[in-house]
Amino acid sequence: MKPFFHVQTLAEVQARMADLAPLAAEAVPLAAAGGRTLAADVTAPRDLPGFARATMDGYAVRGRDTFGAGETAPGFVTLAGEVVMGQAPTLVLAPGQCARIGTGGMLPAGADAVIPVEHTRPMDERTVELTRAVAPGANVLGPRDEAAAGQVMLARGARLRPQDVGLLAVLGVARPQVVQRPRAAIVSTGDEVVPVGAEPAPGQVRDVNTYTLQTLVREAGGEPVVLGLVGDDPARLRAAVDEARAACDLTLLSGGSSVGQRDLTAEVFLGCPGAELLVHGVAVAPGKPFIWARAGARQLLGLPGQVASCLVAFHLFVEPMIERLLGREARSFTRFGTVAARLARNLPKAPGREEYVRVRLGRDFAGVVAEPVFGKSGLLATLIQGHGLVRVPLEREGLDQGETVTVLVFP
């Protein structure tokens, strides 16, 4: 086993993720596609909408017939008929004619613009007064304005937003091909950890990581599988990991990833058939006691038990793995926003690691200010009080008061 103190850099750990292959594709009903990841490019099967259509209620006209029309000098056109919604019009506009049309209606032959109804006044059953001119193409969606045949509309790896699902509906994709959700088994360890509904005795704590991790997995695009609490018992841990490996792509075991006498994660992982230890310790804080072992196509991950370290380690290591399994680039903090801020005080750092410091955002006369929120990695309160994280790079000895920093804003 690689000694814990031979830590790797974050860049070295994330470089290993390039070998992770995307999971297989599956077809899902369009109604269930929101938030899923496309497994292949989606192209337009034909020009869309395929015909010129009105974008406003009014009259289809020839733009040239409206030139010069205004409130004080209106123009006049002859009503030739009405466009029936959902049908191709049979009438053909001659010069000086118009046709009544609703939003979405197909322009009749001869028309090249729509004048909104509010800029018209019917004079009689055959004559319409125009109080404004329109140019050709005004208030009209062209035959290829939505898409051209063969055009890539959504790229492989795109996470489907509501508007993307709407576009799939436009394209007639009833069952899009998406990447299977990575299944992540969640196991919390430690004799001191008790269920949420229990009253902790002295020396005990409630299980926090099970709930934070399943929320994080779900928001990252994975499917959490909660296997419950397991004490510091090698046989029970091995059984839980075996169960996880049989059904899940990732095993997230929180606690027991350090080098104490009762820290069994690495030992249990290496007992799995074909297991290879890739990482045991990373030069980051919080999150240093991170373990990554691989057993075939299954990724076995040991996360720190302390809640702040566990959360940061998830974003640094697990989230990029889920991204890769979904067929995207391995990136950390994918759902975090960013904001530039001035550092409110000096921020020293221990050598040989990069740090992620919780900060609270505020404002003064000069703009946005980031105030460090100090506290130990077991304190959930610092994550609640803080608004985001500031990265102190590996090569820096710290950051200076007044320095402009990029804050990773909690989603």
Side-chain angles (χ1 to χ4, degrees), residues 204-217:
Q204 295 181 331
V205 294
R206 288 192 175 97
D207 178 19
V208 174
N209 289 344
T210 288
Y211 299 92
T212 55
L213 284 174
Q214 65 180 304
T215 303
L216 289 166
V217 167

Side-chain angles (χ1 to χ4, degrees), residues 37-242:
T37 301
L38 281 177
D41 292 347
V42 174
T43 59
R46 57 181 177 81
D47 292 346
L48 292 172
F51 58 90
R53 61 191 299 187
T55 61
M56 301 191 75
D57 294 338
Y59 293 88
V61 295
R62 290 157 37 106
R64 71 187 69 179
D65 292 340
T66 72
F67 291 168
E71 288 286 350
T72 58
F76 298 91
V77 288
T78 301
L79 183 62
E82 182 172 355
V83 173
V84 179
M85 294 296 294
Q87 298 182 19
T90 57
L91 60 89
V92 178
L93 292 191
Q97 290 185 329
C98 71
R100 188 177 290 110
I101 194 169
T103 301
M106 182 177 177
L107 262 66
D112 59 14
V114 171
I115 183 166
V117 66
E118 58 265 30
H119 301 311
T120 65
R121 284 193 289 262
M123 302 300 294
D124 54 41
E125 291 184 356
R126 297 277 299 165
T127 307
V128 178
E129 181 184 73
L130 310 179
T131 60
R132 180 173 295 185
V134 290
N139 306 310
V140 172
L141 189 66
R144 303 177 68 184
D145 281 358
E146 193 80 76
Q151 178 182 349
V152 175
M153 304 300 295
L154 294 170
R156 178 179 64 85
R159 188 167 186 172
L160 294 173
R161 305 165 297 174
Q163 57 266 44
D164 300 326
V165 174
L167 178 59
L168 291 174
V170 168
L171 298 175
V173 182
R175 291 182 63 84
Q177 290 287 322
V178 297
V179 182
Q180 292 178 5
R181 282 194 179 103
R183 288 170 57 84
I186 297 171
V187 181
S188 285
T189 70
D191 289 338
E192 75 282 9
V193 183
V194 298
V196 168
E199 186 64 33
Q204 295 181 331
V205 294
R206 288 192 175 97
D207 178 19
V208 174
N209 289 344
T210 288
Y211 299 92
T212 55
L213 284 174
Q214 65 180 304
T215 303
L216 289 166
V217 167
R218 191 175 294 112
E219 291 183 346
E223 181 180 340
V225 179
V226 176
L227 298 185
L229 286 169
V230 179
D232 295 319
D233 180 299
R236 292 181 59 205
L237 283 173
R238 174 68 55 78
V241 171
D242 287 344

Side-chain angles (χ1 to χ4, degrees), residues 182-189 207-229 250-255 290 301-319 322 335 380 383:
R183 288 170 57 84
I186 297 171
V187 181
S188 285
T189 70
D207 178 19
V208 174
N209 289 344
T210 288
Y211 299 92
T212 55
L213 284 174
Q214 65 180 304
T215 303
L216 289 166
V217 167
R218 191 175 294 112
E219 291 183 346
E223 181 180 340
V225 179
V226 176
L227 298 185
L229 286 169
L250 306 168
T251 297
L252 310 183
L253 198 157
S254 66
F290 170 72
L301 310 174
L303 302 176
Q306 301 283 25
V307 60
S309 293
C310 183
L311 185 143
V312 173
F314 180 93
H315 288 297
L316 287 174
F317 310 120
V318 184
E319 194 169 58
I322 293 176
R335 296 183 306 103
L380 185 59
L383 295 173

Side-chain angles (χ1 to χ4, degrees), residues 361-392:
L361 295 173
R363 282 189 172 274
D364 64 10
F365 65 93
V368 182
V369 176
E371 175 73 38
V373 179
F374 296 108
K376 296 186 181 296
S377 58
L379 293 175
L380 185 59
T382 59
L383 295 173
I384 304 300
Q385 296 165 2
H387 297 124
L389 302 169
V390 167
R391 173 180 175 265
V392 186

